[in-house]
Amino acid sequence: MISVNNVRAGYGDGPDILQGINLNAAGGEIVTILGPNGCGKSTLLKCIAGFVRPRGGAVEMEGCDVSAVPVHDKIRHHLMGFVPQTDNVFSTLSVADNIMLGARYMPAAERNARYAELMAQYPSLASKQERKASALSGGERQILSLARALISKPRVLLLDEPSAGLSPMMMHEVFAAIAEIRDRTGMCIVTVEQNAFEALGVADRAYVLSLGKVAIEGRAADLLADPAMRHLYLGGKPPVVESRPPFAAVN
Amino acid sequence: MVEFLVHVAIMACLYGLLSLSLNLQVGFAGLVNFGQVILFGCGTYGAAIAFSHQLGPVAGIALGIVFAVIVAAAFARLGRNLGADYWGIATLAVAEVLRILANNEAWLAGGAQGVGGIPLLFGDMPRPMGPLMTLGLCVALLLAAWWLCQRLTTSRYGLALKLMREEPQLAASLGYDLAALKTQTLMVAAVLAAASGFVFAHYITFVGPDQLVSSETFLIWAMVIIGGSGNHLGAIVGAILMQFLFAFVPFVKDALGLPSEHVAAMRLTLVGGGLLAFLIWRTQGLIPEHVGGKQNG
């Protein structure tokens, strides 16, 4: 479904942030991209989406090179849905209006049918569809963002840190919703995440980036079980270090 | 005194049009255009070229709008490859290049000498009526422009512009074509500025490259910032306020017994000082942008 082939990318005249990345994601699987701050996770996702144009290599979706296809074209042709990192629902609009924003270019009949489907799938939103989005909790707002991206029935869903700023309980709720989308639709989902343990809990496969390169890739379950991986990239407990006397005592 | 006030009111309306045009770009779409004066210049030169070739005022306004739309399209094309700040500098550069071209190419519209004798729009009317009719036309144009801007920015289109200004990535992810939005905004703004330039040329009866200096752009910027960026009424109030303050500088000079050459310096101080004061103490301007819900003003 998505194939990233030897992609190099960066901003302006700066150095390459991505230095020859290869990544694959198939339909019906969640692929998560992990790594420390500044490793290029978000740049890779923006490159896949089309916000950043690759300097070299290619991004393919459904076998076609889409490196130069503008973001709005991919969205309008139902190829891709994208949920940015920031809190991106419109507080002053109702839940229904927020969702409909994602479908404003679709014919009215199709738009209404899709809206009804979504309301059936997300009863928590259906019960609040006339309320302003400002009345929703953080988790509900994120699910509203997901619903807005899903209304156009994209074949690929890209999520930039969907759990950013959420409490552990809400985070769990959002990841459960992402897993449910995969199971129900067979969609190809690519996420970038800081909360590695939560993300690996629902992902099928993962790529761990370091300094713009893929350092580790594999099945999510295998990565979770690997102690070296946990220590190096997932913030696992460091090995116990022998205790030393204070500086003053040494002197 | 009445004729003087009518003159000031005409100039305030023409600057109000320019201020609305810039506000649509900066206040709503986030397009930092430092070449605004050249869109105005397209209108003035449209009138001048039409007059030089014995074409009527209808041809003049048509030429002005065509020139302005072409320049706006060029600005928009530059914006595809440049970031917002670099784009602002590029628009300033394009405006300066076109001004220098107008200054040095005598075949275009008289070069540095400019074109004089452009007929008044209501020249065949007796003295108090002509300027009053011009004022009526300027007020009508300003109201029409305000209505157009208001309609545009309170619609879904306006929401898209604000979204593009605040969260371009989110706008693109909702399927908005940002390049098309920028081009459309620039073209609407260019038509407003060209209309102002066309009426200005027929009111002052002279067109020259000195009217296209970049300080004019920054004067319009000051009007928008002082009035309130992102609010149409604010942009108009800023233009009227600045224009009336400018008009009364000579009286202040006389009252203080200052030499005449201080007038220009006082006006520049008024622009720079006003701009600085508002940027420091009241960034939202006199009439701030309305945030959330339906808009008024």
Side-chain angles (χ1 to χ4, degrees):
Chain A
M1 188 69 85
I2 296 178
S3 177
V4 175
N5 305 318
N6 200 27
V7 158
R8 289 185 302 105
Y11 299 98
D13 297 329
D16 287 349
I17 307 288
L18 303 179
Q19 300 172 11
I21 297 272
N22 291 298
L23 176 148
N24 288 293
E29 72 171 355
I30 298 176
V31 169
T32 190
I33 303 166
L34 306 167
N37 282 338
C39 69
K41 302 186 294 288
S42 285
T43 305
L44 175 56
L45 197 73
K46 285 178 188 167
C47 218
I48 296 171
F51 291 108
V52 175
R53 207 161 168 175
R55 289 173 180 169
V59 175
E60 292 178 3
M61 285 186 187
E62 296 185 329
C64 300
D65 187 347
V66 292
S67 311
V69 178
V71 179
H72 68 271
D73 275 347
K74 289 180 208 153
I75 303 275
R76 289 182 183 195
H77 290 100
H78 310 273
L79 184 57
M80 174 186 91
F82 183 84
V83 180
Q85 185 183 349
T86 50
D87 179 17
N88 51 58
V89 299
F90 298 94
S91 300
T92 54
L93 298 183
S94 69
V95 169
D97 284 345
N98 263 289
I99 293 174
M100 283 302 200
L101 266 179
R104 43 174 201 88
Y105 49 86
M106 289 162 64
E110 190 186 346
R111 191 168 57 208
N112 293 335
R114 274 298 293 154
Y115 180 77
E117 273 178 46
L118 279 174
M119 288 299 102
Q121 282 154 16
Y122 296 104
S124 64
L125 293 181
S127 62
K128 295 174 181 169
Q129 53 185 309
E130 295 308 321
R131 284 201 213 162
K132 287 201 170 176
S134 55
L136 302 183
S137 69
E140 286 172 330
R141 287 165 77 89
Q142 195 59 25
I143 288 174
L144 176 57
S145 299
L146 286 174
R148 190 175 59 199
L150 289 174
I151 194 166
S152 63
K153 257 192 177 168
R155 270 107 65 194
V156 170
L157 184 61
L158 306 179
L159 309 171
D160 194 358
E161 299 205 24
S163 71
L166 297 181
S167 67
M169 195 180 283
M170 288 175 178
M171 200 189 303
H172 187 73
E173 199 181 315
V174 168
F175 278 115
I178 294 169
E180 189 271 332
I181 293 167
R182 171 199 54 195
D183 298 340
R184 180 168 40 80
T185 64
M187 200 178 278
C188 168
I189 302 174
V190 178
T191 70
V192 159
E193 257 305 323
Q194 288 279 2
N195 297 300
F197 286 104
E198 281 283 347
L200 288 174
V202 296
D204 298 288
R205 291 189 304 113
Y207 289 79
V208 183
L209 302 193
S210 177
L211 299 171
K213 293 178 179 166
V214 175
I216 300 172
E217 63 174 284
R219 288 180 55 238
D222 294 344
L223 295 184
L224 266 176
D226 182 348
M229 226 303 286
R230 287 169 71 108
H231 168 56
L232 284 172
Y233 296 107
L234 304 182
K237 279 186 182 173
V240 178
V241 181
E242 187 187 332
S243 63
R244 292 179 183 184
F247 182 68
V250 173
N251 283 330
Chain B
M1 187 64 180
V2 173
E3 283 208 13
F4 171 69
L5 288 175
V6 169
H7 165 73
V8 176
I10 289 170
M11 295 305 290
C13 288
L14 294 177
Y15 273 104
L17 266 175
L18 288 171
S19 192
L20 273 178
S21 160
L22 185 65
N23 188 42
L24 193 63
Q25 300 167 68
V26 183
F28 288 88
L31 297 168
V32 183
N33 182 359
F34 289 136
Q36 175 72 1
V37 72
I38 206 65
L39 300 177
F40 165 81
C42 290
T44 60
Y45 272 81
I49 291 170
F51 168 68
S52 308
H53 292 82
Q54 282 99 43
L55 302 169
V58 176
I61 184 74
L63 267 179
I65 288 174
V66 168
F67 289 160
V69 165
I70 291 170
V71 172
F75 280 172
R77 185 68 192 82
L78 281 172
R80 292 192 180 192
N81 301 329
L82 296 172
D85 38 6
Y86 289 104
W87 182 76
I89 296 165
T91 56
L92 178 63
V94 170
E96 277 299 290
V97 167
L98 291 176
R99 183 185 67 79
I100 291 166
L101 190 77
N103 194 45
N104 290 291
E105 299 298 326
W107 57 268
L108 184 61
Q113 302 299 320
V115 175
I118 298 171
L120 291 163
L121 284 175
F122 302 100
D124 50 349
M125 289 194 172
R127 191 66 198 144
M129 276 311 287
L132 280 175
M133 288 297 288
T134 308
L135 176 60
L137 173 70
C138 291
V139 170
L141 270 176
L142 186 62
L143 288 176
W146 175 78
W147 177 83
L148 174 71
C149 291
Q150 190 71 5
R151 283 296 299 266
L152 281 177
T153 54
T154 50
S155 64
R156 290 264 174 193
Y157 181 79
L159 181 68
L161 290 185
K162 284 192 172 184
L163 187 58
M164 176 173 72
R165 182 191 71 184
E166 296 295 327
E167 293 281 351
Q169 198 168 297
L170 175 59
S173 74
L174 291 174
Y176 286 108
D177 182 350
L178 302 193
L181 276 176
K182 286 178 187 174
T183 307
Q184 290 156 8
T185 309
L186 277 166
M187 286 187 174
V188 172
V191 171
L192 298 183
S196 172
F198 171 80
V199 178
F200 178 85
H202 279 279
Y203 175 62
I204 298 292
T205 69
F206 172 77
V207 168
D210 290 348
Q211 294 161 347
L212 307 182
V213 289
S214 54
S215 61
E216 284 296 313
T217 291
F218 295 107
L219 172 61
I220 306 162
W221 267 88
M223 290 168 175
V224 171
I225 289 169
I226 290 171
S229 177
N231 188 308
H232 303 306
L233 201 59
I236 294 173
V237 166
I240 293 171
L241 182 76
M242 290 297 285
Q243 203 52 45
F244 273 85
L245 282 176
F246 264 37
F248 286 97
V249 161
F251 297 104
V252 176
K253 182 235 4 161
D254 289 344
L256 297 176
L258 296 169
S260 295
E261 59 267 27
H262 283 198
V263 171
M266 280 176 78
R267 283 179 174 159
L268 272 180
T269 309
L270 208 60
V271 175
L275 202 55
L276 207 56
F278 272 82
L279 286 174
I280 293 171
W281 290 299
R282 197 173 163 88
T283 46
Q284 72 274 37
L286 290 172
I287 307 177
E289 178 181 0
H290 182 87
V291 180
K294 265 189 100 62
Q295 280 191 33
N296 295 306

